[in-house]
Structure formats: structure tokens, C-alpha cells
Amino acid sequence: MPLSIYEEADRFLAVTVPPTASAARAHAPLPLDCPSCGSSHVAQMLGDNGGISYVCTACGHSWS
């Protein structure tokens, strides 16, 4: 049993990430900015139709 969630995630990523991908790139989040205000404070949500939507926590703008 893993000692922490990070240890479990590292074990999982070691299996799923191709060997050519660097560890830094594998853990880096994708840059996503609000198209309305340009803020990087963006949250991912489950949309009404089961898709993925995003909402800016700075200005409240939402998009998918």
C-alpha cells in the first residue's frame, strides 16, 4: 500500500507515461487562461451534458 497519494500517482504515471516524455512535462498543468479577462485562475467543471466546461474564478466567465 502506498504511503501517500503522490507515491501512488508516481507509480501510475510510470506505467502510463511514455518513456520519451520528461517527468517535468508529465506533471505540468496545461496553461489555460480566461478568454474574457486573461486570468489564469480557471476551474474545470463537469458540464450539463456530461462534457467539460471551464469557469474563470476571477470574472465568472464560463466556456466549454
Side-chain angles (χ1 to χ4, degrees), residues 1-22:
M1 176 177 254
L3 297 176
S4 72
I5 189 71
Y6 298 111
E7 183 181 326
E8 183 66 16
D10 288 342
R11 186 180 68 80
F12 178 73
L13 287 172
V15 173
T16 59
V17 174
T20 57
S22 70

Side-chain angles (χ1 to χ4, degrees), residues 2-3 11 15-16 21 24 28 36 42 45 57 62:
L3 297 176
R11 186 180 68 80
V15 173
T16 59
S36 182
V42 175
M45 319 183 319
T57 58
S62 61

